[in-house]
Structure formats: structure tokens, C-alpha cells
Amino acid sequence: MGFQGRDVISILDFTRNDLEELFEVADYYLRNRRAYTLLQDYVVALAFFEPSTRTRLSFETAAKLLGAKVIGFTSEEGTSIAKGESLADTIRMLDAYADIIVIRHRYEGTALFAAEIAEDPVINAGDGKQHHPTQAMLDLYTVRRLFGTIDGLTYAVVGDLRYGRAASSFIYGLTLFKPRKIYLVSPPLLRARPEVLETLRERGVKFEEASRVDDVIEDVDVLYVTRIQKERFPDPIEYERVKGSYRITLKLLEKGKRELKVLHPLPKVDEIEPAVDSSRYAAYFTQASFGVPVRMALLSLIAGVRP
Amino acid sequence: MGFQGRDVISILDFTRNDLEELFEVADYYLRNRRAYTLLQDYVVALAFFEPSTRTRLSFETAAKLLGAKVIGFTSEEGTSIAKGESLADTIRMLDAYADIIVIRHRYEGTALFAAEIAEDPVINAGDGKQHHPTQAMLDLYTVRRLFGTIDGLTYAVVGDLRYGRAASSFIYGLTLFKPRKIYLVSPPLLRARPEVLETLRERGVKFEEASRVDDVIEDVDVLYVTRIQKERFPDPIEYERVKGSYRITLKLLEKGKRELKVLHPLPKVDEIEPAVDSSRYAAYFTQASFGVPVRMALLSLIAGVRP
Amino acid sequence: MGFQGRDVISILDFTRNDLEELFEVADYYLRNRRAYTLLQDYVVALAFFEPSTRTRLSFETAAKLLGAKVIGFTSEEGTSIAKGESLADTIRMLDAYADIIVIRHRYEGTALFAAEIAEDPVINAGDGKQHHPTQAMLDLYTVRRLFGTIDGLTYAVVGDLRYGRAASSFIYGLTLFKPRKIYLVSPPLLRARPEVLETLRERGVKFEEASRVDDVIEDVDVLYVTRIQKERFPDPIEYERVKGSYRITLKLLEKGKRELKVLHPLPKVDEIEPAVDSSRYAAYFTQASFGVPVRMALLSLIAGVRP
């Protein structure tokens, strides 16, 4: 169906063909980093009800490099929600001022709700615990840049698979391609959500749940690591007990394939040993940098223009 | 006297002719929504000492669509006032960096004070309890767009007429035209300020104070609704007692004229029944959207340029 | 070595020739204040981990007038540092999105640390208690504009010479020129740091420490005043006892030379009597306004372009 005028709520709304089109345009922007005037008549609203640095700054960079005017806020305190205004009215206001609305919110379904109210295209920049489609786009794009393909590779998605929206979205995104296998590696309390497993089954993607990275590392091409937050554990002792199993060390990685790459949506805290940062395994800084060309590609396709 | 280089402190500083000129330029921007370079050499400072979403974002959108560079802050914490700097010194700084200063402050008279210090034109984006001239401009523009005229209509201004600057400014703005009659509808504690009534008398505008919307609804063309804040009432029981009389329901509106339109400066909380939003009466979302073309018109006339 | 691609960590990294080149370009921007497209392909990140108004807004104005795209944050709360991300990772992110990084931080050495991590040029917009090189640049530029030269003049730097980075940076900056003499005027507790005195001695600059402005005022061409913060004094009585000696009054200034000029990095609180503001001595508002052309000059030289 193409991108023009479209809402971006979940990575599952897209097809493999959509993403391949997106990646080609992203390739162009990656090779030709400069200012454009393609979106000069566009106002892009960045409606960040929840704090974010990377997603917000890369969207802002992308929009501005395309020539768009950017308005918005970076926390709920910056809005009239604090005065008791409904979210619907806030969205209507943004719809009146802007041409594309990028929204981030802690509650699941906010982006869809906004898309139903707004005439403008709405882009979900992360809502609730499952959906962060533009993160999945840049994650998949990173794999494609690193390996030349997304198909046929073995993935391990590690960390908080229950509450981490980047992890769920990445897994959803993989179901649009043909991964050889996906390992879902998490503490028992933070297992992937039933709807994620259901999607994997429906789409015939081979997967396996595991509890320790060490058990799967030898088989893996892409290790997608996410943060495990202490607060998720009712018992801090339980957290202390398991956290070591999810810490990625250079020693651990050296048991794996030579071409193994570590991705991470960032920010990371201490789940990756600092020595990994400068190793050949670390792909997460490159991955973060792809946020700009991928989001440029997305914004321009939604606006119906190409570089 | 025209707009070029002029301060915008109160709607009462303007004439009917000034506003008609403004509205014509706003019409142009409304019809031709796109990016301009008219103000490309201008720096516009948005000095919001008090939070605001709608006014701030629509000024920002307007300035950016005109090609201006926008700088500023969104709360007093973002300034050196917190370090003990005087407001005068803060204004002098903005005057040095910017070419037009848009200011919002909780205290009456701040915009005028700023205008006396700054060489740049200063635009009052709301200060204290009476003046919010650009809100009045877009409110009057909305009436003109909806009815083709501002003259000869019957208005009811409803809600907190004592502390609500949008309401006072709208009433002041109406005195520049020839309304048939204005009903001032509020709880006794929140009656219009003596200086507002004085202005109505001086300018020979027919008005009547009332306590219930129900009593005047049949006679009204434009119902201008504003929020009543619970905190204004010394006794919460008193608030609970009166608030029902100021809630605008579809049932209430159906007693009125077929062409009746409801305006509201927004944000609204629960003073308008949600069912009204999608009725033919609701004009407040359209009204909010006019914030952009009206503020574009104002900024460009102050800069002495026309589209 | 020129400016192109260079980090700006301390004013001591520059030569007199560097600064003269900078000042010539600043002269051009001062005379020709308008929008440029010289930096249109540049993204400038303003990474303000510590609040600032003047430095931040003048950098933002400068970058935008040059056509650059500006992204960033205005406090640490706006970053992932709050989620536990390392400063290094935050810098890597900015390095990925932006082309020039302007950084402000409360800790000494942060700018240097950032410069070591980032491939982009890093500009120190104030870190810790000694270095604020772009403030020194605009301060020296102000002297040059006022007196036609920086050499041969007598300076008094007054206030908190121990913790005030603007004061230390200005003194460091003077060592690149040939001042006749520098008086360092401060309460005993807030004497200039040993490394500052050492630099003065090494570079053969004549200086003298003093405790009262009154003792030196007759000999001075440029009085550089900074704030003394009460919190620096372990004993509030001690603060009350000394503060009068550092308050600049019109009466005090009238004991000095006719051409005496008062500079101040601003914001000021009560260290300068308000009557001075409108006197012929006050140069601090002019000085603040030079923040824009000097920072435009710096950004464009770092980008390797000239107007």
C-alpha cells in the first residue's frame, strides 16, 4: 500500500516490500548526508509525553535535515494535560498545527488512538510495552547493512522481553523476513508476551525460549541485547541472582561466531561490559547512527517525496 | 498607525482598521499554507515564563513557516531569573539576540514593562488576568470566518470573567466592532472586572450580566466559553453548587439558534460535554487552528512584510 | 593551526593570531547581521547538562543564523543519563547525529573528555570552575571593540576568582595579549587559583592581588566584574562583612578614569548598582550582544567556511 499519508503504529502493519523500499531510501540518505528542502512546507510535531533522547533527537535531526519545521514538547509537563486537557484535545491541536505527528507515550495504544483522531499521519515513537516500529526499522536496517540480508540468520533477543518494547518490536519485525531461528533469552519473569509468541507461531518463525545467553551464544549471528530493570523484580535478591546471566562480556562473545554482532537499542547501563564497545562485535553505536537516515527515509516516504 | 515595528500589549491598542488589515493577511496565509522566507533574517524569541502549549506552539509554527529562526524558553526555570537575574536584564538579553520578542508571564504588566525596555517589538502572549491580545485576534478572526462579520451579532461570554484573560481580551476586542449585545455570564464571584465593564460603557456597547447560560441561550449567536477553576472558590461547596450552570451540553445548545457557534480558547476540561465536540455548534477546534495564520499575519505585519 | 575541525576546550589552546582571525570574522557578522546558508548542511548539538540562558541562546541564535540545524537538551533531566547511561555513550550519540557538539557541564574536564570520544569538533560552553573559552572570546572581543586594542590596558578582574570560570577564562585570555597590568580583586577566600597565577607568571604578565576595588579603581581601564555567591562562604557573617567591598556603584566608578568600562559575563544580581546600567561605564549589555557575532565566527571557522 505504500507509505504516503500512512500512520506508523506497529511494525506488523508493514510488509517486507514496504521495508525494502524504506531501506533503499535510507541507503540514499546514508550516502548523501546533507540538508534537503523536500519537506520545507511540512511542520513535524514531536509529541514526547515520555522522556527520550535518542529517538527524539534522531527524529528531530531527520526532520530538520529534510527541511521540515519542528515543533513539540519533551514531557507531559510541557502540555495542557497537566491542566486537565484530554489527550484527544491535545492531539487535535497538534493535528491543526502540524502535518506529521510523532508521538511517544507510556501507555499502549496511544499512537493508535492519536491516529484515529488526527487527519495527519501519526508515527508511533514508542508507546507502552510492545510497539516501537521505527526502532525496529532501524534495527532491521542495521542487520541488513551488516550482513547484506536479514534472512537466514540466527538471532538471540536478550533481556526484558516482557516489558521492553524495542525487543518485542524487533521480534515482530523479524517475522516479516525469514530468520533461521530466534532465541528468546530472558529470566522466567520477563519472558516474551503471549501475543509475541503467537505471532511467531502464526508466521511460522522457528524460535526457542532460553534462560542463559551462554547456552545459545555459539549458534547466533545477531545478539540483540536490552536492559533488564531491577524494578521489574518483586524480590531484589532474585534480580541479583539472575543479572549475571544477562551481562554480555567479551569472554562470552568470544565463544560465539567470528562474525557475531551485538545490537542494542540503547541507552545501555551495565548489561554490556565496556570492553565490548571497542570490539569487532559492537554494532550498537552504528545502529544508533542509522536512526537518522532511516527516519529521514520514513518521513519523506510518508510525505510522498523521494530524494 | 499600522503594525510595522509595533508592540502588541493589549487588543485595545488596535483599531478596527488594524484588525481588518490583519485578518486579510491571515486569510492569505490560511489559503496558502506553506513555508515562506519573508522573515528569514529574523530571530523570534519565545519567552514563556509561564507554561503554555497552544499559544507557544502556534507562535512557533507561525514564525517557522515564515522562515524565522526561533529561540527561547518554556518556563522560568529555563532562565537566569532562578539565579537572581532581574527581569529587565533577561529582557535586555533577548533584545540583543532576537528581533521580535513574544512574552508570556503570570503577572499583569510584564509585557508592557518588557516593551519599555526592549528596542525590539514585544508581543504579549498573555500576561496577568486581562490581556492576551493575540488570542483575541484569532477569536475575532474566527467569528469573522464563521459569520462573515463580527458586527450585529449577539455574544455570550461564559465562565471566569474575573481572572480569565482570554475572556476579558475577547470582550475588549468586541468593543472595536459593533456587537448587537454581549451577555456576561458568570458566577457572582467571577463577574467581569470593573475596568472591563467601564470599557463597555465608554464605548457604548450594550451588555447584560447574567448568572445562567440557560437564561440567555436563545438570543445568542456566539457562545464564548471559558474554564471555571475550582481553586477560585473559597468554598468547594459553592463551586459544586454553581458549576452545573456553566456546563455546556448538547441539550442546552439545542434550545439556541440553529446557527449558534461555541468558541473556547482551550484547553477545556469538563465545561463542555464531549458530545458537543462533533456537533455543528463546536467551532473551537477550527478556532484553535486559526492561531497559525493569524499569528503569521501578525508577525509579518510587525516585520513590515506581506506575503 | 587554524580553526577548521578543531575542538575548543580552553582559551589557552589558542594564539593571539587565532583570536585576531576570529575577531575579524566576528566584525563581519556584526556589520552584516542576517541569515546565512553557510552551515546549512550542519547539525549543531547543544548539549547543556547544566542550565544556561545567555550562552545557550546566543549559540542557538548564532547556529541558526548560519543556517545550521540545531538539536539538543537544556538539562541533564532531558537525557538518558537519568536512566543510567554513561556520559561517554551520550556523547557518542550526539557525535552520530550532529556535526559540531557544544557542551556545558558542571564538572571540569567534561569538554575534553567529550572531545576525546567524539569525532566531531567539541566546543566547551563552560565546564567546571576554570574554562569557558567562548565567553573569554567575546569578552576580549568586547575590549577590542571598545578600546580598539586589548594590549596596553589595565584590567581589574573582580569577584569570585576561585570558582568563577568566566573570570579565570578572561584572565587566561588576557595572557595571549599584552595587558599593562591585571589587578585580581577578590575576598581572601576567593583568590585566583594557583594555576591561574602560575600562567600569569609564566607568560610574564604583570599582576597584583588586591582585596578592595576602591584601592585600584583609579588605575583601571577595564573593570571585569563577576558575581560573588553567598554559598561560597562557610560563615554568612563573613559574607555580609566583605560584600560591600565588591559592589560597584556609580560613586565608585566616578573615582576612576573617564574612559573606564565595566564588563560582566552576566547574569548579575546585586553586585552592580542599577544606576550604573545607564551610565557611560556600562559595557556589559553590549558585551552580551557580541555573543552572537563571536559565536557565529567561531562556528563558521570550525566548519571551515567564511562569510
Side-chain angles (χ1 to χ4, degrees):
Chain A
M1 63 181 280
F3 281 90
Q4 193 172 351
R6 189 167 173 185
D7 298 313
V8 178
I9 307 303
S10 161
I11 191 71
L12 290 171
D13 302 338
F14 295 84
T15 64
R16 179 185 181 122
N17 280 347
D18 290 334
L19 295 184
E20 280 169 355
E21 182 185 6
L22 180 80
F23 295 158
E24 273 167 39
V25 179
D27 280 342
Y28 181 89
Y29 287 124
L30 185 64
R31 279 193 314 270
N32 302 280
R33 167 151 179 145
R34 54 181 178 81
Y36 295 81
T37 54
L38 290 165
L39 264 70
Q40 68 179 359
D41 291 327
Y42 276 73
V43 177
V44 174
L46 301 183
F48 279 69
F49 293 92
E50 193 187 58
S52 154
T53 340
R54 230 161 295 265
T55 305
R56 180 173 66 82
L57 292 180
S58 62
F59 259 118
E60 189 166 356
T61 302
K64 288 180 173 175
L65 283 174
L66 291 168
K69 316 324 181 199
V70 177
I71 61 167
F73 44 83
T74 60
S75 72
E76 201 163 283
E77 294 89 73
T79 71
S80 289
I81 302 278
K83 298 183 192 170
E85 183 174 49
S86 69
L87 181 65
D89 279 9
T90 301
I91 299 299
R92 282 184 189 105
M93 168 191 67
L94 296 171
D95 198 32
Y97 299 161
D99 304 292
I100 296 178
I101 299 170
V102 178
I103 190 170
R104 170 125 169 182
H105 201 283
R106 64 184 180 286
Y107 293 135
E108 182 100 22
T110 305
L112 182 60
F113 176 74
E116 282 171 5
I117 289 170
E119 288 180 31
D120 291 345
V122 169
I123 301 176
N124 185 0
D127 70 342
K129 320 221 168 300
Q130 283 190 72
H131 296 295
H132 192 351
T134 66
Q135 180 70 45
M137 287 169 181
L138 79 90
D139 294 343
L140 294 167
Y141 180 72
T142 305
V143 174
R144 177 180 163 283
R145 296 281 317 174
L146 294 171
F147 292 89
T149 177
I150 297 164
D151 300 327
L153 301 172
T154 300
Y155 297 83
V157 185
V158 177
D160 179 353
L161 307 186
R162 183 164 179 75
Y163 300 107
R165 58 190 165 210
S168 290
S169 292
F170 181 64
I171 299 166
Y172 283 139
L174 287 176
T175 69
L176 307 177
F177 295 86
K178 298 188 192 317
R180 198 180 71 81
K181 185 173 182 177
I182 309 176
Y183 292 102
L184 305 176
V185 188
S186 73
L189 278 169
L190 301 177
R191 287 266 184 270
R193 312 177 77 82
E195 53 270 54
V196 170
L197 302 181
E198 191 51 39
T199 305
L200 288 167
R201 281 186 204 105
E202 263 173 27
R203 303 197 170 205
V205 176
K206 195 174 162 194
F207 70 95
E208 186 182 326
E209 295 189 276
S211 291
R212 292 162 43 91
V213 186
D214 210 41
D215 296 340
V216 307
I217 189 72
E218 289 174 37
D219 196 27
V220 165
D221 299 296
V222 175
L223 191 66
Y224 189 96
V225 182
T226 63
R227 213 166 10 134
I228 293 182
Q229 292 174 275
K230 199 173 178 171
E231 310 83 77
R232 298 295 186 204
F233 288 78
D235 180 356
I237 295 167
E238 176 65 14
Y239 170 73
E240 294 302 326
R241 207 177 60 78
V242 305
K243 74 171 183 183
S245 316
Y246 301 93
R247 184 166 159 88
I248 308 303
T249 62
L250 206 48
K251 204 175 144 198
L252 173 74
L253 296 173
E254 280 162 0
K255 295 184 194 171
K257 296 186 186 176
R258 205 186 137 71
E259 298 310 318
L260 172 65
K261 294 293 175 201
V262 181
L263 272 68
H264 191 302
L266 303 181
K268 60 184 169 68
V269 181
D270 54 10
E271 59 275 26
I272 297 179
E273 184 189 32
V276 176
D277 286 3
S278 51
S279 75
R280 69 172 182 275
Y281 303 111
Y284 32 85
F285 297 129
T286 302
Q287 174 191 5
S289 74
F290 290 158
V292 175
V294 170
R295 290 180 171 118
M296 287 177 80
L298 183 64
L299 289 169
S300 54
L301 288 173
I302 286 175
V305 294
R306 282 167 164 281
Chain B
M1 62 181 279
F3 282 89
Q4 193 172 351
R6 189 166 174 186
D7 298 312
V8 178
I9 306 304
S10 160
I11 191 72
L12 290 171
D13 302 338
F14 295 84
T15 63
R16 179 185 182 123
N17 280 348
D18 290 334
L19 295 185
E20 281 169 357
E21 182 186 6
L22 180 80
F23 296 159
E24 272 167 40
V25 179
D27 280 342
Y28 181 89
Y29 287 124
L30 185 64
R31 280 194 313 269
N32 302 281
R33 167 148 180 148
R34 55 180 178 80
Y36 295 81
T37 55
L38 290 164
L39 265 69
Q40 68 179 359
D41 292 327
Y42 276 73
V43 177
V44 174
L46 301 183
F48 279 69
F49 292 91
E50 193 187 59
S52 154
T53 340
R54 229 161 295 266
T55 304
R56 180 174 66 82
L57 292 180
S58 62
F59 260 118
E60 188 166 357
T61 302
K64 288 180 172 175
L65 283 173
L66 291 167
K69 316 324 180 197
V70 178
I71 61 167
F73 43 84
T74 60
S75 73
E76 200 163 284
E77 293 90 73
T79 72
S80 289
I81 302 277
K83 298 184 193 169
E85 184 175 48
S86 69
L87 180 65
D89 279 9
T90 301
I91 299 299
R92 283 184 189 104
M93 168 192 68
L94 297 171
D95 197 32
Y97 299 161
D99 303 293
I100 295 177
I101 300 171
V102 178
I103 191 170
R104 170 123 168 185
H105 201 282
R106 64 184 180 287
Y107 293 135
E108 182 101 22
T110 304
L112 182 61
F113 176 74
E116 282 171 6
I117 288 170
E119 289 180 31
D120 291 346
V122 169
I123 301 175
N124 184 359
D127 70 343
K129 319 222 168 301
Q130 282 191 72
H131 295 295
H132 192 352
T134 66
Q135 180 70 46
M137 288 168 181
L138 79 90
D139 294 343
L140 294 167
Y141 180 72
T142 304
V143 174
R144 178 179 162 281
R145 296 282 316 175
L146 294 171
F147 292 89
T149 178
I150 297 165
D151 301 326
L153 301 172
T154 300
Y155 297 83
V157 186
V158 177
D160 179 354
L161 307 186
R162 182 164 179 75
Y163 300 106
R165 58 190 165 210
S168 290
S169 292
F170 181 65
I171 299 167
Y172 283 140
L174 286 176
T175 68
L176 307 177
F177 294 86
K178 298 185 192 317
R180 198 179 69 82
K181 184 172 182 179
I182 308 176
Y183 292 102
L184 305 177
V185 188
S186 73
L189 278 169
L190 302 175
R191 286 268 184 268
R193 312 176 78 80
E195 53 270 54
V196 170
L197 302 182
E198 191 52 39
T199 306
L200 288 167
R201 281 186 205 107
E202 264 173 27
R203 303 198 169 204
V205 177
K206 194 174 161 193
F207 71 94
E208 186 182 326
E209 295 189 275
S211 290
R212 293 162 41 90
V213 185
D214 210 42
D215 296 341
V216 307
I217 190 72
E218 289 174 37
D219 196 27
V220 165
D221 299 296
V222 175
L223 191 67
Y224 190 95
V225 183
T226 63
R227 213 164 12 131
I228 293 182
Q229 291 174 275
K230 199 174 179 171
E231 309 84 77
R232 299 295 185 202
F233 288 78
D235 180 355
I237 294 167
E238 177 65 13
Y239 170 73
E240 295 302 326
R241 208 177 59 77
V242 305
K243 74 169 184 184
S245 317
Y246 301 93
R247 185 167 159 88
I248 308 303
T249 61
L250 206 48
K251 203 174 146 200
L252 174 73
L253 296 173
E254 281 162 0
K255 296 183 194 172
K257 297 185 184 175
R258 204 186 139 69
E259 298 309 317
L260 171 65
K261 295 293 175 201
V262 181
L263 272 67
H264 192 300
L266 302 181
K268 59 185 169 68
V269 181
D270 54 10
E271 58 275 26
I272 297 179
E273 183 189 32
V276 175
D277 286 2
S278 50
S279 74
R280 70 173 181 272
Y281 303 111
Y284 32 85
F285 297 130
T286 302
Q287 174 190 5
S289 74
F290 290 158
V292 175
V294 169
R295 290 180 170 117
M296 288 178 79
L298 182 64
L299 289 169
S300 53
L301 287 172
I302 286 175
V305 294
R306 283 167 163 281
Chain C
M1 62 181 278
F3 282 89
Q4 193 172 349
R6 190 167 174 186
D7 298 312
V8 177
I9 306 304
S10 161
I11 191 72
L12 290 171
D13 302 338
F14 294 85
T15 63
R16 179 186 182 122
N17 280 347
D18 290 335
L19 295 185
E20 280 169 356
E21 182 185 7
L22 181 80
F23 295 158
E24 273 167 40
V25 179
D27 279 342
Y28 180 89
Y29 286 124
L30 185 64
R31 278 193 314 271
N32 302 280
R33 169 153 176 143
R34 55 180 177 82
Y36 295 80
T37 55
L38 290 164
L39 264 70
Q40 67 178 0
D41 292 327
Y42 276 73
V43 176
V44 174
L46 300 183
F48 279 69
F49 292 93
E50 193 185 58
S52 154
T53 340
R54 230 161 295 265
T55 305
R56 180 173 66 81
L57 292 181
S58 61
F59 259 118
E60 188 165 356
T61 302
K64 288 180 172 175
L65 282 173
L66 291 167
K69 316 321 180 200
V70 177
I71 62 168
F73 44 84
T74 59
S75 73
E76 200 163 283
E77 294 88 74
T79 71
S80 288
I81 302 278
K83 297 183 192 171
E85 184 174 48
S86 69
L87 181 65
D89 279 10
T90 301
I91 299 299
R92 283 184 189 105
M93 168 191 68
L94 296 171
D95 198 32
Y97 299 160
D99 303 293
I100 295 177
I101 300 170
V102 178
I103 190 170
R104 170 123 169 185
H105 201 282
R106 65 184 179 286
Y107 292 135
E108 182 100 22
T110 305
L112 182 60
F113 175 75
E116 282 171 6
I117 287 170
E119 290 180 30
D120 290 346
V122 168
I123 300 176
N124 184 359
D127 70 344
K129 319 220 169 302
Q130 281 191 73
H131 296 296
H132 193 352
T134 66
Q135 180 71 45
M137 288 168 181
L138 79 91
D139 294 343
L140 294 166
Y141 180 73
T142 305
V143 174
R144 177 180 163 281
R145 297 281 316 174
L146 294 171
F147 292 89
T149 177
I150 297 165
D151 301 327
L153 301 172
T154 300
Y155 297 82
V157 185
V158 177
D160 179 353
L161 307 186
R162 182 164 179 74
Y163 300 108
R165 58 191 166 212
S168 290
S169 293
F170 181 64
I171 299 167
Y172 283 139
L174 287 176
T175 69
L176 307 177
F177 295 86
K178 299 186 193 316
R180 198 179 70 81
K181 185 172 181 178
I182 309 176
Y183 292 102
L184 305 176
V185 188
S186 73
L189 279 168
L190 301 176
R191 286 266 184 272
R193 313 177 76 82
E195 52 271 54
V196 171
L197 301 182
E198 192 50 39
T199 305
L200 287 167
R201 281 186 204 106
E202 263 173 27
R203 304 199 169 203
V205 176
K206 194 173 161 193
F207 71 94
E208 185 181 326
E209 294 188 277
S211 289
R212 293 162 43 90
V213 186
D214 209 41
D215 296 340
V216 307
I217 189 72
E218 289 174 36
D219 197 27
V220 165
D221 300 296
V222 176
L223 191 67
Y224 190 96
V225 183
T226 64
R227 214 167 8 134
I228 293 183
Q229 292 174 274
K230 199 173 180 172
E231 310 83 77
R232 299 295 185 202
F233 289 77
D235 180 355
I237 294 167
E238 176 65 13
Y239 170 74
E240 295 301 327
R241 208 178 59 77
V242 306
K243 74 170 182 183
S245 315
Y246 301 94
R247 185 166 160 88
I248 308 304
T249 62
L250 206 48
K251 205 175 144 200
L252 174 74
L253 296 173
E254 280 161 1
K255 297 184 195 172
K257 296 186 185 176
R258 203 184 139 72
E259 299 309 317
L260 172 65
K261 294 294 175 200
V262 181
L263 272 68
H264 190 302
L266 303 183
K268 60 184 169 68
V269 180
D270 53 11
E271 59 275 24
I272 297 179
E273 184 189 31
V276 176
D277 286 3
S278 50
S279 75
R280 69 172 182 273
Y281 303 110
Y284 32 84
F285 298 129
T286 302
Q287 174 191 4
S289 74
F290 290 158
V292 175
V294 169
R295 290 180 170 117
M296 287 178 78
L298 182 64
L299 289 169
S300 53
L301 288 172
I302 287 175
V305 294
R306 283 167 163 281

